[in-house]
Every structure is written in structure tokens, then in C-alpha cells.
């Protein structure tokens, strides 16, 4: 099975651009990681502009791409090596996600991806035809939207729910002391946050992520990754997403950015999927670009290594090397740090893949999973 360059390019874009959102979760206390107004200090005009631009073009777009590509990756592994090998891969990813999320950074996605992948594998969804995958993806998406809809209605009809308390100087100092202080309290906080994430996973994240993974498999089975959408369809998806996101920005501004509506409103999720697909379609259109093949594709092959290295570098930076930066830098400064890190990862991937085909973490993951010979169906064996 020949490796598709466009899958690597899309994955490369996704893992690099994830940092444009995750940088705030590295540099702020967890409860305020993605909020514009979280302290008694009013946000600047620059911070507000950047926050709105993130809602329009970045928020959720690249984690959506990552989820879609993860589903494709699971399907390809199962097709080539069989379900037993894929199950071992997911069990090791489960362990890696636990270590990453509990011991290093609360924002881990690997643990939840592994659990979602095991759910998809257990339910036998890889064998479904594309039409059935589409139906199930839509169904799971609707289930995943139940919780955001309930929260939105609560904000609409309950004044108490809209009464958000801003962090005062004392609370901020306590959070800074936890996340830049001794290691053990940070682990305890990570475990508490992981328990809350487990609840959120059951209520919404699982179903939404399953929907995205099944969408990815359906798109692959219909050969969408070979051609993408037409130019007109790609533009319509992008503009439709932008229009939906503009309403989110407008409502956010009406609430004085107190409610972080870009992570709650159901149509914000629809906008994320639409724009993510338009980005992927655009990359597919330019899949023969030597520049994209040279720079983005290597990042896609090293996606797991890059994702984990982002955590290690950023955690060390904000908690050990420069703890005075934690919860003090503005959005422009943080985005500048993220862009520098993205540039460093582009260079690293370019140099590393000149000598190695797999990233170090990818190599270890495959080695631990004891990869077998390529799996062949009974029909293929009968023709040999």
C-alpha cells in the first residue's frame, strides 16, 4: 500500500497548527487556558483581535483535521496488519497518553484517541461501506452535540449560569504557585483534571471524535483524499464556516467574552469541521507542490514525535526555564513563541527525515506493538 503524500501533508499542517491553540493551555492555568476574559484585568484591543481571529480561523480546525486523519490511520493499519495488531497499537497509545496526560500535561489527547479507537475497532466500523459510515458519523455527531446544546440553553435561560467569576490577584498567584512550583502538586492537579475530562469524554468528546474518525474513513473509502472537493465546493465550505464563526464572534462580544462561546455553541463545531475540510481539500489540490512535499509531509510522518516534543519544550519553558512568563504574557507574545516553535519543528523534521524514515516515538510505538507481516485477506491468499 503506497503512502499518500497528501495524508502526510494534512497531518503535518494539523500537528504544527495545534500549537497555535495549545500554547495558551501551556502558558495559563487550566481553567482559563482558552478564555479571553479570565482575570480582573480587561483584555487589550490586540488580545481581543487575536482571540477573534483564532475563533474564525484556528479554534478546533486542526484538532478536527487530526481526528479525521487518526481515523484514516487506524483504518489503514487494520487493513494492512489486522485488527490484533491495531489493538496492541491502541493499548500502547493508551499507556503513552496516560503518562503524557497524568505526569506531564493535562491537555493530552492521546489517551482519549486510544479509547475512541478501541471503541471504533470493537464496534467493527472499519468493515462498513462508505454510505453507512456517513450515516453513523452524522448520528454520532448529533449525539456529541447534545451536551453543548444543553449548556447553550442553560446560558440562554439561566442568569446564574452566565454569572462567571473572574480570577482575582490571590487566585492567580495560587495557580502560578501550583504550576511553577513542586512537581507532585502538578501531578495531583493533572489527575483531577483527567477525571473531569473522563466525564466530558463520556458526555460528548467520545461521540464527537468517533464521528470525525468515521468521517475520515468514509472520505478515504470514497477516494476523497485523492482529489478533494472542487474549487467552488472548497470555497463554499470555507465561506460557510467563516459566516457561522462570525456569529460566534458576535455573540462572544455581546457577552463581553465572559462565556467562551467558541467552545460551546453547537454551530461552532459545525464551522470547525467545514473549515477543516476546506483546508484539507486545498492541500489535496496542491499535493504535487514540491514545497509542501518537502516541508509539510515530513512533519506528518513525525506527527506523534512533534506533538509530544511540543509538550516537553513548552512545559519546560513555562514551568522551569521561564516560570515568570506563566500567566503573564499576552496573546501576541505567546503566538510569537508558538510560531518560533513551529519553525524549529519544520527544520527538525526536514533534517531528521533525510536520515530516518520514522520519528523516534513512532519507531518505539511500532517496536513495542511488535508489527507483523502485512495482513492479507483470505481472498488474497487464495489467489497466491
Amino acid at each position: 500500500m503506497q503512502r499518500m503524500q497528501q495524508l502526510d501533508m494534512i497531518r503535518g499542517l494539523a500537528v504544527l497548527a495545534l500549537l497555535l491553540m495549545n500554547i495558551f493551555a501551556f502558558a495559563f492555568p487550566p481553567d482559563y487556558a482558552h478564555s479571553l476574559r479570565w482575570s480582573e484585568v480587561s483584555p487589550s484591543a490586540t488580545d481581543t483581535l487575536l482571540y477573534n481571529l483564532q475563533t474564525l480561523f484556528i479554534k478546533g480546525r486542526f484538532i478536527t483535521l487530526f481526528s479525521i486523519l487518526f481515523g484514516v490511520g487506524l483504518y489503514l493499519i487494520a487493513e494492512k496488519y489486522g485488527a490484533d495488531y491495531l489493538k496492541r497499537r491502541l493499548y500502547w497509545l493508551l499507556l503513552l497518553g496516560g503518562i503524557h496526560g497524568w505526569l506531564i500535561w493535562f491537555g493530552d489527547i492521546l489517551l482519549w484517541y486510544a479509547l475512541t479507537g478501541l471503541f471504533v475497532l470493537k464496534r467493527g466500523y472499519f468493515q462498513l461501506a462508505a454510505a453507512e459510515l456517513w450515516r453513523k458519523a452524522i448520528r454520532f455527531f448529533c449525539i456529541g452535540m447534545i451536551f453543548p446544546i444543553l449548556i447553550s440553553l442553560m446560558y440562554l435561560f439561566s442568569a446564574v449560569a452566565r454569572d462567571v467569576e473572574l480570577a482575582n490577584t490571590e487566585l492567580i498567584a495560587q495557580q502560578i504557585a501550583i504550576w511553577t512550583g513542586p512537581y507532585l502538586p502538578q501531578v495531583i492537579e493533572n489527575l483531577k483534571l483527567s477525571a473531569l475530562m473522563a466525564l466530558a469524554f463520556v458526555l460528548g468528546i467520545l461521540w464527537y471524535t468517533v464521528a470525525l474518525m468515521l468521517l475520515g474513513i468514509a472520505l478515504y473509502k470514497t477516494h476523497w483524499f485523492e482529489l478533494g472537493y472542487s474549487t467552488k465546493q472548497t470555497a463554499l465550505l470555507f465561506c460557510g464556516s467563516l459566516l457561522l464563526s462570525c456569529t460566534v464572534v458576535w455573540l462572544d462580544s455581546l457577552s463581553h467574552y465572559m462565556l467562551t462561546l467558541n467552545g460551546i455553541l453547537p454551530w461552532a463545531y459545525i464551522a470547525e469541521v467545514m473549515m477543516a475540510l476546506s483546508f484539507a481539500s486545498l492541500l489535496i489540490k496542491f499535493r504535487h507542490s514540491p514545497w509542501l512535499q518537502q516541508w509539510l509531509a515530513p512533519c506528518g510522518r513525525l506527527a506523534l514525535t512533534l506533538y509530544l516534543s511540543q509538550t516537553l519544550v513548552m512545559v519546560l519553558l513555562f514551568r522551569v526555564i521561564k516560570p515568570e512568563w506563566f500567566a503573564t504574557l499576552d496573546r501576541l507574545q505567546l503566538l510569537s513563541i508558538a510560531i518560533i516553535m513551529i519553525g524549529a519543528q519544520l527544520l527538525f523534521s526536514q533534517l531528521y527525515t533525510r536520515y530516518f524514515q520514522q520519528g523516534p516515538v513512532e519507531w518505539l510505538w511500532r517496536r513495542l506493538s511488535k508489527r507483523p507481516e502485512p495482513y492479507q485477506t483470505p481472498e488474497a491468499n487464495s489467489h497466491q
Side-chain angles (χ1 to χ4, degrees):
M1 188 180 295
Q2 188 177 5
R3 193 175 185 107
M4 294 178 68
Q5 281 280 85
Q6 50 267 45
L7 293 181
D8 286 330
M9 290 190 292
I10 297 168
R11 191 181 293 109
L13 173 67
V15 73
L16 292 173
L18 274 179
L19 189 56
L20 296 175
M21 287 304 301
N22 286 347
I23 186 70
F24 303 102
F26 290 123
F28 286 105
D31 289 344
Y32 317 115
H34 298 299
S35 301
L36 176 62
R37 288 198 66 186
W38 60 277
S39 72
E40 295 174 342
V41 178
S42 298
S44 67
T46 301
D47 276 357
T48 303
L49 173 62
L50 290 174
Y51 183 83
N52 288 336
L53 289 175
Q54 286 174 314
T55 298
L56 294 174
F57 301 108
I58 299 175
K59 171 73 172 65
R61 277 65 172 162
F62 301 103
I63 189 68
T64 296
L65 276 181
F66 216 59
S67 301
I68 290 171
L69 267 293
F70 190 79
V72 176
L74 296 185
Y75 172 72
L76 293 177
I77 291 171
E79 283 291 292
K80 190 171 183 179
Y81 298 109
D84 289 340
Y85 173 65
L86 175 58
K87 189 181 297 183
R88 292 197 299 273
R89 288 286 295 267
L90 290 170
Y91 283 146
W92 281 111
L93 188 65
L94 195 69
L95 177 61
L96 180 59
I99 293 171
H100 181 230
W102 299 336
L103 301 182
I104 305 175
W105 181 52
F106 65 88
D108 170 74
I109 59 171
L110 303 179
L111 174 66
W112 315 111
Y113 272 10
L115 290 172
T116 305
L118 288 168
F119 176 85
V120 171
L121 179 62
K122 179 73 174 177
R123 301 291 294 181
Y125 290 151
F126 294 129
Q127 285 74 44
L128 297 178
E132 183 62 22
L133 286 168
W134 272 105
R135 284 193 289 270
K136 288 191 176 297
I138 294 171
R139 188 181 308 159
F140 280 121
F141 184 87
C142 292
I143 295 172
M145 289 301 102
I146 293 174
F147 188 61
I149 289 171
L150 292 176
I151 297 295
S152 300
L153 291 174
M154 186 173 65
Y155 281 163
L156 180 63
F157 294 108
S158 172
V160 175
R162 295 193 298 271
D163 187 16
V164 179
E165 186 176 349
L166 297 174
N168 56 34
T169 304
E170 182 181 355
L171 181 57
I172 295 172
Q174 290 174 355
Q175 288 292 306
I176 291 174
I178 290 173
W179 294 106
T180 62
Y183 177 61
L184 183 57
Q186 296 181 29
V187 173
I188 293 172
E189 289 297 313
N190 283 337
L191 291 172
K192 291 178 182 178
L193 291 165
S194 185
L196 290 175
M197 275 292 293
L199 178 61
F201 179 74
V202 173
L203 291 175
I205 296 173
L206 169 63
W207 317 110
Y208 181 60
T209 308
V210 168
L212 295 177
M213 291 183 183
L214 296 184
L215 170 62
I217 299 169
L219 290 172
Y220 185 84
K221 286 191 173 186
T222 54
H223 307 287
W224 181 82
F225 288 99
E226 295 175 13
L227 297 174
Y229 294 119
S230 68
T231 302
K232 182 179 179 180
Q233 289 171 325
T234 302
L236 285 174
L237 271 177
F238 180 85
C239 293
S241 170
L242 198 58
L243 182 61
L244 289 175
S245 296
C246 283
T247 67
V248 176
V249 169
W250 175 63
L251 291 171
D252 244 340
S253 66
L254 287 182
S255 69
H256 303 290
Y257 300 95
M258 296 289 289
L259 304 178
T260 318
L261 294 176
N262 61 13
I264 296 170
L265 295 174
W267 63 88
Y269 292 90
I270 297 173
E272 291 170 5
V273 176
M274 291 171 64
M275 191 167 288
L277 289 175
S278 72
F279 286 160
S281 181
L282 193 62
L283 283 179
I284 293 168
K285 292 295 181 187
F286 290 95
R287 63 191 179 277
H288 299 302
S289 165
W291 188 89
L292 292 176
Q293 291 182 4
Q294 179 182 355
W295 289 98
L296 276 186
C299 295
R301 294 198 292 273
L302 273 59
L304 184 57
T305 295
L306 297 184
Y307 172 70
L308 292 175
S309 65
Q310 287 174 2
T311 296
L312 292 174
V313 172
M314 293 298 125
V315 166
L316 285 173
L317 177 64
F318 290 108
R319 300 185 192 176
V320 180
I321 300 171
K322 286 288 186 179
E324 66 272 18
W325 287 359
F326 188 83
T328 61
L329 299 185
D330 61 30
R331 302 184 82 83
L332 181 59
Q333 290 169 319
L334 291 174
L335 286 172
S336 298
I337 292 172
I339 290 169
I340 291 170
M341 181 65 182
I342 290 170
Q345 291 199 317
L346 280 165
L347 288 173
F348 169 77
S349 301
Q350 178 66 208
L351 294 173
Y352 184 90
T353 52
R354 291 182 184 180
Y355 304 99
F356 304 99
Q357 290 298 311
Q358 298 177 352
V361 183
E362 284 81 359
W363 175 85
L364 179 62
W365 187 22
R366 287 169 172 81
R367 191 68 180 264
L368 291 171
S369 304
K370 297 179 181 177
R371 187 174 72 180
E373 291 300 314
Y375 175 76
Q376 290 183 313
T377 63
E379 290 82 2
N381 288 325
S382 66
H383 291 294
Q384 291 184 357

